[in-house]
Structure formats: C-alpha cells, structure tokens
C-alpha cells in the first residue's frame, strides 16, 4: 500500500538520502537488455551495462527489409556505445552496425578475422538488396554505402582463446562456436568492486555433424549467467550419414525422372558444406555425373574466403581431395557469376541440380528457378535451411499448393523434401549437452534466438534436466544481474 506524502522537511531530507543510497546500490548492478532475438530468430542485440559502460553483443538486423524494427530508433544512444562484440557475420547478428554508425557510433567492433571478411561481403549484398527494395517499394535507405564502408574501418580482429581488455573493468574471450567460419562464443567478464561476474553468450552454436568446422567448444570455465540460442530448441537433426544418403537419393530421383533438383541455400556455410558433400558423392561415384550449378555470386565470394582461412577448417574435411583448392571443386560443378551465365542454366536440359540463394526463397536467383520448375511434377525442391515464419520457403515447406513469385501465381506440383541435418545450428540434444556443462554454477540461463515454442521447450528441458533457473525474455526486457 503506498505511503502518504509527508511534508516534514527533515523526513523529506532523510528520504532523499535513502533514495541516493539506493541509486548508488543500483548503480553497482550489471544490467542486460534484450533488443532482438527474443522469442524470434532474428535481430540479435544484447546490451550489457555496468556503471557508465555499455557493451553490445551482436547488432543484428531483420532479414526482411520491410520489418519495422529495422527502422525504429535504437533503445540506447549509439554515441554512448563504445564497444560492439560480434559472434559471427550473419546479418541477423551483424547487419545493424552501419545503422549505429550513421547515428553516431564510433567505438570498436570486435570480431574474428574470418567474421570481418565475411561481414564486408554480406553487408555489401544486404545494402544492394536494401537499395533495390528502396527503388521498388519506396522504403528509405537505412544507411549509405559510404557509411557502410566507414563502419568496416572500426573492426578490431581478435583470435580465439585470447583475453581482450575493453576497459579496466571489462574484458572478453572468444571461443569456437562451430556454427559458420569464424563464429564465436563470447565470455564477457565484468569486474565489480567485490567480485568478477562472467556472462556467456553462445552466439549461434554449431551442428556437431558439421564436416567443415571443428566441434563447438564446451566451456570449462564456469559462467555466472548464460545467453543461449534455441533455433532448434524443440527439434532434432538427422545424423551425418542419413543426411548424405537423403541428398544422394534426391539427386538420383531427379536423374531418373529427368527433373530439376532446386536447393535454396544460405550463401555462408550451408553452400560450402553441401559442396563438400557433393564432392564426396561425385569422387566416390555414388551419383552419376550430372550438371550442378552454384548460381550465387555471393556464395562464390564467400567460398573464396573459406579458401583464405583453411586453418579454420578441420583436417577431416580434406580426406576426399588432395588440397584445399579442390575442396569446393569437382567434375560437373559450374559457378555462374554473371546474369547471362545464370540465364544460360535454362538452356541446359534436365536432369540438373541448382543451388542458389536465398536460403528461405525470399530473394535472389533461386526465385527464377522456382518460378520455372515448381510446377514440374518431375522436379524436387530440397529444403536444407531454417525457414523463417511467413517466408516463401516456409509456405512451400508447409504444403502450399500455390505461391506468388514476382507478382505471379505459381503452382507447386514438384516434390517438396527436407533435410534438417545440414542446419548450421545445434539441435535440442546438442544444445542440452552444451548447457549441461554450466549447471553447477550458473545463476540464470536466458533462452533467445528461437521461436517461442522452441525457446520455451529448451527452457523447460534445462530446468527439468539440470535444475537451472531459466528465462525466455521478451523484446526490450531488462534484467539486473547479481
């Protein structure tokens, strides 16, 4: 029940003193705020504040340029932000950085060297898509090309396993997340007057069946708090051999039926991993020679970055080829870079295999192939990536008989197949194995980067299996850490 106002001057003075003491006490609290990837899988932005210092872990954008949150003012002043730490290059974790620069951010952006190189390529692609949307849909540009290039100058490359001091009170260490090339787990350390608080940010954790990257690090250093992703928090992947068999089966089926295998792929990681799988199938004569087209200039640029950082790739990936240059090259494979080369694919008679972006069929060259072949009952569309809610790929996966592409209604008569084992994300079992190692010290586990059902199921499993206190934050929610 609220207290009545007392006009006694002395008491009012006392009340002010108490208020100041409370303010001082609260000022010694670490705060964490969730400004994205809260009960959703995009826009990762986690702000950690202590005294007058602010650190942003990831600064993701929403892939759909029409999403209103891309245009909202940030809930914090970018001019007051001195540090951004990126877990990896995907734009739903990195793409807001040029917007923050535009609004006054001039601090450092910490990331691994491969992440920095991948950001340069992905940001350019995102800018071109944004510019195209601005012209066609009248949307404002979030930033200019010059602002994007100036943002790239703020990067500070950091390697795994080295402690980096941001300030006398705050430092961090990168660990290998095994998600995509250069992806990192972040252990953030905040020194208070009486103790050190450790906050672990998983970023996106990798699939343990990844044939390119070393396994995700299990953090032996105990954390007080953890923010963990939950993209596949309620699902399980096929194992490595089953997924390869399913890929082989799909190729053999379109060859028998003289159809087209369409594979919408993410340009980063999914493309490179499937290319290595196809390499093995071809080298070991598990599939007949068939024309395979990698129809994505973006994927081609990113594949070159993989060639640059072969030391980030595990040795086992090279067992089918003699050197790194052959890792993503094999008989029958053609990289189509120009528009003319892409259009020339149409002249190649089936059977054929086409890999193209985007992974959720929301843009890119895959739309042209889907427009041409979705209605063909001899063809297959093979879903190998996570399909966000309301995306074209999600509609196809959920059984839509007709979809709209380029303002034209297209019948879906082809076979729709899915392989979840190629996901670059850990599934529920893998996530729980990773969380299990934190169970003895952790005070609270924050579940993010997953649709609400997935996040809540992972939270429940973590409570039931390990007795961990869990939270599934809402967008904009702030917590004080002890």
């Amino acid at each position: 029940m609220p207290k009545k106002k007392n006009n006694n001057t002395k008491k009012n003075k006392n009340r002010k003193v108490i208020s100041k003491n409370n303010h001082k006490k609260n000022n010694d609290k670490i705060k964490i705020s969730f400004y994205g990837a809260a009960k959703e899988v995009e826009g990762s932005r986690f702000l950690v504040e202590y005294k007058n210092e602010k650190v942003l872990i990831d600064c993701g954008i929403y892939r759909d340029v029409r999403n209103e949150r891309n245009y909202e003012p940030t809930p914090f002043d970018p001019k007051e932000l001195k540090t951004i730490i990126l877990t990896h290059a995907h734009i739903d974790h990195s793409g807001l950085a040029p917007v923050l620069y535009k609004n006054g951010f001039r601090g450092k952006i910490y990331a691994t060297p491969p992440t920095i190189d991948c950001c340069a390529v992905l940001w350019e692609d995102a800018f071109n898509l944004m510019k195209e949307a601005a012209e066609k849909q009248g949307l404002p540009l979030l930033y200019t090309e010059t602002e994007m290039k100036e943002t790239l100058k703020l990067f500070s490359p950091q390697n795994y396993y080295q402690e980096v001091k941001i300030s006398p009170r705050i430092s961090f260490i990168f660990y290998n997340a095994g998600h995509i090339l250069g992806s990192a787990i972040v252990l953030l350390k905040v020194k208070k007057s009486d103790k050190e608080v450790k906050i672990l940010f998983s970023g996106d954790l990798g699939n343990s069946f990844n044939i390119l990257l070393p396994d995700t690090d299990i953090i032996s250093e105990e954390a007080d708090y953890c923010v963990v992703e939950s993209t596949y928090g309620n699902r399980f992947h096929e194992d490595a051999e089953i997924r390869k068999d399913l890929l082989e089966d799909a190729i053999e089926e379109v060859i028998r039926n003289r159809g087209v295998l369409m594979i919408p792929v993410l340009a980063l990681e999914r493309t490179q991993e499937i290319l290595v799988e196809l390499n093995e199938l071809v080298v070991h004569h598990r599939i007949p020679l068939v024309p395979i087209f990698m129809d994505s200039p973006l994927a081609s640029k990113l594949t070159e970055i993989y060639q640059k950082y072969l030391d980030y790739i595990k040795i086992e990936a090279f067992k089918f080829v003699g050197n790194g240059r052959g890792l993503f090259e094999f008989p029958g494979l053609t990289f189509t870079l120009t528009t003319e080369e892409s259009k020339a694919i149409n002249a190649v008679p089936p059977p054929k295999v086409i890999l193209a972006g985007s992974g959720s069929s929301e843009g890119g060259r895959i739309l042209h192939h889907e427009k041409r072949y979705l209605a063909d009952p001899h063809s297959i569309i093979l879903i190998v990536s996570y399909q966000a809610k309301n995306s074209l790929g999600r509609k196809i996966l959920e059984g839509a008989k007709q979809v709209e592409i380029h303002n034209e209604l297209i019948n879906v008569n082809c076979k729709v197949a899915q392989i979840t084992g190629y996901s670059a994300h850990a599934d529920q079992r893998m996530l729980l194995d990773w969380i299990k190692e934190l169970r003895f010290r952790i005070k609270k586990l924050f579940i993010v980067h997953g649709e609400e059902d997935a996040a809540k199921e992972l939270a429940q499993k973590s409570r039931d299996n390990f007795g961990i206190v869990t939270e599934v934050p809402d967008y904009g929610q702030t917590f004080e850490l002890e």
Side-chain angles (χ1 to χ4, degrees):
M1 186 172 177
K3 293 181 179 179
K4 293 181 180 179
K5 185 175 179 181
N6 192 321
N7 292 322
N8 183 285
T9 305
K10 188 174 181 180
K11 287 186 179 180
N12 283 342
K13 283 183 179 178
N14 288 339
R15 188 176 294 131
K16 287 180 182 177
V17 171
I18 292 170
S19 175
K20 285 181 180 178
N21 286 339
N22 284 341
H23 175 72
K24 185 176 181 181
K25 184 178 179 181
N26 288 336
N27 195 38
D28 200 46
K29 293 281 189 181
I30 300 168
K31 293 195 299 183
I32 182 169
S33 301
F34 297 86
Y35 296 126
K39 298 178 181 175
E40 58 188 349
V41 293
E42 296 190 283
S44 291
R45 310 167 195 170
F46 313 122
L47 183 68
V48 177
E49 300 174 81
Y50 181 59
K51 295 189 182 293
N52 61 341
E53 296 187 67
K54 294 181 174 67
V55 177
L56 190 64
I57 309 295
D58 282 344
C59 52
I61 210 164
Y62 291 79
R63 294 179 189 275
D64 185 349
V65 294
R66 298 163 294 183
N67 193 302
E68 60 184 20
R69 283 197 177 146
N70 288 335
Y71 300 91
E72 291 175 353
T74 54
F76 50 89
D77 186 350
K79 294 175 185 175
E80 297 178 357
L81 187 64
K82 302 301 180 188
T83 306
I84 296 172
I85 303 174
L86 295 185
T87 61
H88 62 287
H90 281 147
I91 62 166
D92 61 323
H93 290 258
S94 75
L96 191 74
V99 178
L100 297 181
Y101 178 90
K102 177 181 181 178
N103 291 300
F105 171 72
R106 294 298 183 273
K108 285 187 177 182
I109 305 175
Y110 295 98
T112 64
T115 293
I116 294 170
D117 284 3
C118 290
C119 278
V121 174
L122 292 175
W123 289 3
E124 181 182 11
D125 180 69
F127 177 77
N128 290 334
L129 291 174
M130 181 176 64
K131 190 165 62 172
E132 183 181 328
E135 293 169 355
K136 291 182 178 179
Q137 303 173 35
L139 296 171
L141 287 175
L142 290 169
Y143 51 83
T144 66
E145 187 172 12
T146 298
E147 288 163 342
M148 177 191 71
K149 290 178 178 178
E150 289 299 313
T151 310
L152 289 169
K153 296 177 182 178
L154 302 180
F155 272 110
S156 174
Q158 304 296 332
N159 295 319
Y160 294 140
Y161 314 122
Q162 297 179 355
E163 186 158 358
V164 181
K165 278 195 171 294
I166 296 173
S167 72
R169 284 191 289 251
I170 301 178
S171 64
F172 75 90
I173 302 173
F174 279 142
Y175 294 91
N176 170 43
H179 171 60
I180 63 171
L181 187 71
S183 60
I185 298 162
V186 177
L187 180 65
L188 189 71
K189 300 181 179 182
V190 182
K191 289 183 179 178
K192 300 178 69 176
S193 56
D194 57 340
K195 61 181 174 181
E196 183 177 68
V197 177
K198 298 175 183 178
I199 313 166
L200 195 61
F201 294 84
S202 74
D204 286 355
L205 296 176
N207 184 344
S208 59
F209 299 137
N210 191 307
I211 59 173
L212 280 177
L213 304 179
D215 290 343
T216 302
D217 285 333
I218 302 296
I219 309 303
S220 57
E221 188 165 3
E222 295 174 332
D224 299 290
Y225 299 90
C226 179
V227 178
V228 66
E229 69 122 325
S230 59
T231 312
Y232 284 86
N234 58 350
R235 280 168 287 179
F236 298 89
H237 302 324
E238 304 99 348
D239 68 33
E241 199 53 45
I242 289 175
R243 72 183 189 183
K244 193 182 301 180
D245 290 343
L246 292 172
L247 178 61
E248 178 184 356
D249 291 345
I251 295 170
E252 291 171 345
E253 185 174 342
V254 294
I255 290 174
R256 284 196 306 273
N257 296 336
R258 302 199 65 77
V260 177
L261 178 61
M262 298 166 281
I263 310 179
V265 287
L266 296 170
L268 181 56
E269 191 62 33
R270 199 66 39 83
T271 290
Q272 291 76 28
E273 192 168 7
I274 290 179
L275 286 177
V276 173
E277 292 274 59
L278 290 169
N279 193 346
E280 185 197 353
L281 292 175
V282 170
V283 167
H284 286 181
H285 307 290
R286 288 180 57 173
I287 58 172
L289 279 178
V290 61
I292 299 175
F293 297 96
M294 183 60 256
D295 191 23
S296 169
L298 176 61
S300 298
K301 290 178 184 177
L302 291 167
T303 302
E304 289 177 6
I305 295 176
Y306 273 73
Q307 299 285 7
K308 178 180 176 181
Y309 292 103
L310 292 179
D311 54 331
Y312 280 75
I313 294 175
K314 62 185 177 185
I315 296 297
E316 292 82 355
F318 299 100
K319 63 184 176 183
F320 307 115
V321 292
N323 57 68
R325 178 53 58 185
L327 195 60
F328 307 108
E329 297 178 5
F330 49 87
L333 176 65
T334 302
F335 285 84
T336 51
L337 302 179
T338 67
T339 303
E340 291 71 26
E341 289 172 333
S342 179
K343 290 179 178 178
I345 296 173
N346 296 333
V348 177
K352 56 189 171 184
V353 177
I354 304 170
L355 294 85
S358 71
S360 56
S361 300
E362 281 297 286
R365 292 181 176 179
I366 193 64
L367 291 178
H368 297 280
H369 302 298
E370 289 175 350
K371 188 175 179 180
R372 189 177 183 89
Y373 297 113
L374 280 178
D376 176 19
H378 301 107
S379 294
I380 299 173
I381 182 166
L382 181 60
I383 305 296
V384 296
S385 304
Y386 179 81
Q387 305 298 304
K389 275 185 179 179
N390 302 318
S391 66
L392 178 62
R394 183 73 163 257
K395 293 171 184 174
I396 293 172
L397 183 61
E398 291 179 346
K401 298 302 180 186
Q402 198 174 61
V403 294
E404 184 177 326
I405 300 177
H406 300 149
N407 299 317
E408 185 178 336
L409 289 176
I410 306 296
N411 293 325
V412 182
N413 299 324
C414 70
K415 179 178 178 179
V416 179
Q418 183 182 27
I419 305 177
T420 64
Y422 285 112
S423 172
H425 289 269
D427 66 8
Q428 184 188 95
R429 176 184 59 78
M430 300 168 197
L431 288 168
L432 289 172
D433 284 347
W434 191 82
I435 292 167
K436 178 182 178 182
E437 299 302 317
L438 306 171
R439 66 192 184 279
F440 295 117
R441 175 171 167 174
I442 191 169
K443 296 176 181 176
K444 187 170 288 187
L445 181 70
F446 297 98
I447 313 288
V448 298
H449 200 285
E451 292 178 9
E452 187 169 357
D453 289 347
K456 286 185 173 180
E457 183 167 328
L458 185 64
Q460 186 66 50
K461 293 283 186 182
S462 299
R463 287 194 297 271
D464 293 345
N465 293 1
F466 313 126
I468 295 174
V469 178
T470 61
E471 289 278 0
V472 180
D474 291 314
Y475 181 89
Q477 194 167 3
T478 297
F479 296 84
E480 289 187 345
L481 309 184
E482 296 177 1

